[in-house]
């Protein structure tokens, strides 16, 4: 078992890149790629060929392009969309869509594997990735137990993970959040989602008539979540 600080620090983006850069062949096997906002990247053909780790930005990860609404979550700095604990071919076709301009490292997988076997003999990086993925899966599981209204509120909580704290009781959502994205993650219609947000504006909890959206009273929002039995992760 590891302490959380040790776990998070060793598996952080900065430390992973530091470990890889110890190898003199780093520049021959690693390159940064910029994924433009709205671009969709299929990952199936890259498995066991490339390893990816996000440097900046945010993407929507779908477990399979043939069932995009069934299993999706956000990935951002430090996330590794293709890291798996075994070598067999993927049974699904994962796909990423950039919600903002995103930069990731594209690394030859044999090089990555060689470096990590040398530098991370306790498999901390893989374990950390599995734990982060477990939390995302648990979030999806909780969301699927909720009513439509609860799912909208719960999805707002999820997007707060990308928050910008403006003041102690005021939080700004990321610029990319809009009615369409929120409705998709809530598995509701855009019109229904708009109705929920209108109610939050009427309660002076939310500003969503201009970008970026802002939770103007975080305390009141949390009280509403408790009242309506919505998990606050």
């Amino acid at each position: 078992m590891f302490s959380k600080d040790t776990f998070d620090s060793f598996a952080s983006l900065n430390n992973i890149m530091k470990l890889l850069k110890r190898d003199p062949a780093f520049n021959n096997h690693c390159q940064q790629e910029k994924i433009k906002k709205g671009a969709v990247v299929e990952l199936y053909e890259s498995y066991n060929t490339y390893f990816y780790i996000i440097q900046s930005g945010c993407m929507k990860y779908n477990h399979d392009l043939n069932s995009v609404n069934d299993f999706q979550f956000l990935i951002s700095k430090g996330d590794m969309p293709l890291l798996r604990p075994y070598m067999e071919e993927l049974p699904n076709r994962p796909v990423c869509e950039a919600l903002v301009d995103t930069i990731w490292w594209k690394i030859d997988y044999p090089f990555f594997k060689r470096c990590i076997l040398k530098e991370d003999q306790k498999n901390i990086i893989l374990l950390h990735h599995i734990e982060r993925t477990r939390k995302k899966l648990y979030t999806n599981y909780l969301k699927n137990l909720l009513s439509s209204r609860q799912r909208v509120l719960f999805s707002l909580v999820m997007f707060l993970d990308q928050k910008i704290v403006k003041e102690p009781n005021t939080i700004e959502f990321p610029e990319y959040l809009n009615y369409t994205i929120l409705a998709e993650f809530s598995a509701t219609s855009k019109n229904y989602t708009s109705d929920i947000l209108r109610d939050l504006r009427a309660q002076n909890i939310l500003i969503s008539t201009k970008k970026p959206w802002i939770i103007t009273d975080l305390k009141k929002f949390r009280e509403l979540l408790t009242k309506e039995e919505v998990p606050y992760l």
Side-chain angles (χ1 to χ4, degrees), residues 76-224:
S76 55
K77 181 178 178 179
D79 278 318
M80 300 170 279
L82 270 187
L83 185 59
R84 295 167 66 92
Y86 42 83
M87 298 294 296
E88 284 77 11
E89 290 186 4
L90 292 175
N92 55 292
R93 301 188 67 85
V95 61
C96 295
E97 179 182 345
L99 296 176
V100 295
D101 287 350
T102 298
I103 296 174
W104 64 18
W105 283 95
K106 180 180 180 181
I107 300 166
D108 291 338
Y109 183 74
F111 170 80
F112 171 78
K113 182 180 178 181
R114 185 183 80 224
C115 291
I116 296 307
L117 285 175
K118 176 183 176 182
E119 302 286 353
D120 182 20
Q121 296 182 16
K122 294 182 179 180
N123 287 320
I124 294 176
I125 292 170
L126 177 60
L127 290 173
H128 187 267
H129 170 69
I130 291 173
E131 174 63 13
R132 288 182 69 156
T133 303
R134 183 195 66 80
K135 290 179 179 178
K136 295 177 189 296
L137 290 171
Y138 180 62
T139 298
N140 272 23
Y141 167 75
L142 286 179
K143 184 171 64 174
N144 289 335
L145 298 177
L146 303 176
S147 68
S148 297
R149 177 178 172 85
Q150 287 175 318
R151 289 199 303 273
V152 175
L153 296 174
F154 184 76
S155 295
L156 284 173
V157 174
M158 181 187 67
F159 282 104
L160 283 178
D161 280 346
Q162 309 290 321
K163 62 184 177 294
I164 299 173
V165 179
K166 303 296 288 184
E167 297 175 13
N169 200 38
T170 302
I171 291 182
E172 186 176 289
F173 286 102
E175 286 273 355
Y176 63 76
L177 184 58
N178 57 36
Y179 289 89
T180 300
I181 291 174
L182 183 59
E184 180 181 350
F185 274 86
S186 305
T188 62
S189 70
K190 187 175 177 180
N191 287 339
Y192 183 79
T193 301
S194 299
D195 290 341
I196 304 303
L197 298 187
R198 186 180 302 114
D199 178 49
L200 295 181
R201 291 197 299 271
Q203 297 184 57
N204 296 317
I205 293 175
L206 175 73
I207 296 175
S208 61
T209 53
K210 60 181 181 179
K211 291 293 190 72
W213 295 359
I214 297 173
I215 292 287
T216 55
D217 193 329
L218 183 58
K219 180 180 178 182
K220 193 172 182 179
F221 181 54
R222 286 175 169 167
E223 290 172 350
L224 176 66

